[in-house]
Amino acid sequence: MAHDLDDLAPEYLAFWSEHLMCTLTTLRPDGTPHVVPVGVTFDANQRIARVITRKDSAKVAHILAGGADGARVAVCQVARRRWATLEGVARIRTDTDVVADAVRRYAERYGRVPSPNPDRVMVEITVTRALGRA
């Protein structure tokens, strides 16, 4: 079920604040999907989903392979009969303040501050489609 990004239901937004693990799907160079568990935060006003990770991860390599235009990705979460998927274009952000903001948002959603990591980067997803039943 598709949702209007300009008018997301309160239940849908609340679902994205629950303590749930998600998956991130990127595409390998051969076009096959690479799906990994991640923590995701979603800012509906900015239409941005954020994932923090290591700069040497496979997901980062897949996104960087998309070049300056970024790479198509999806993040998804499921809780019993409820589910939500955000699709969009991902780019890797390395700015210290941007990564710190992503860590802060992660801590708010998941109730813990990740250990410091000098190799941390942020996957910034410009959301173009919201799907689900929340």
Side-chain angles (χ1 to χ4, degrees):
M1 170 175 181
H3 295 270
D4 181 351
L5 285 170
D6 290 323
D7 189 28
L8 292 171
E11 298 81 15
Y12 190 84
L13 295 173
F15 189 49
W16 278 104
S17 67
E18 293 180 25
H19 190 284
L20 297 168
M21 290 309 296
C22 305
T23 59
L24 169 67
T25 302
T26 59
L27 298 177
R28 296 181 182 101
D30 67 1
T32 59
H34 176 257
V35 183
V36 294
V38 294
V40 175
T41 62
F42 177 43
D43 183 328
N45 292 328
Q46 294 182 351
R47 293 188 183 179
I48 294 176
R50 295 170 175 85
V51 175
I52 55 176
T53 189
R54 295 179 336 275
K55 67 181 178 184
D56 62 348
S57 68
K59 58 188 157 289
V60 169
H62 298 155
I63 294 165
L64 290 174
D69 291 336
R72 299 289 308 172
V73 302
V75 289
C76 182
Q77 63 183 20
V78 177
R80 296 186 180 252
R81 298 177 71 162
R82 299 178 303 151
W83 63 276
T85 299
L86 301 172
E87 297 177 1
V89 177
R91 291 177 181 80
I92 303 303
R93 300 287 304 271
T94 59
D95 320 37
T96 304
D97 57 332
V98 170
V99 174
D101 179 58
V103 168
R104 179 189 60 76
R105 291 170 187 266
Y106 177 97
E108 285 177 8
R109 179 172 186 187
Y110 293 102
R112 72 172 192 85
V113 177
S115 302
N117 182 348
D119 293 330
R120 181 171 287 133
V121 297
M122 189 254 290
V123 176
E124 181 179 81
I125 304 164
T126 303
V127 176
T128 57
R129 182 181 296 161
L131 304 165
R133 180 177 303 183

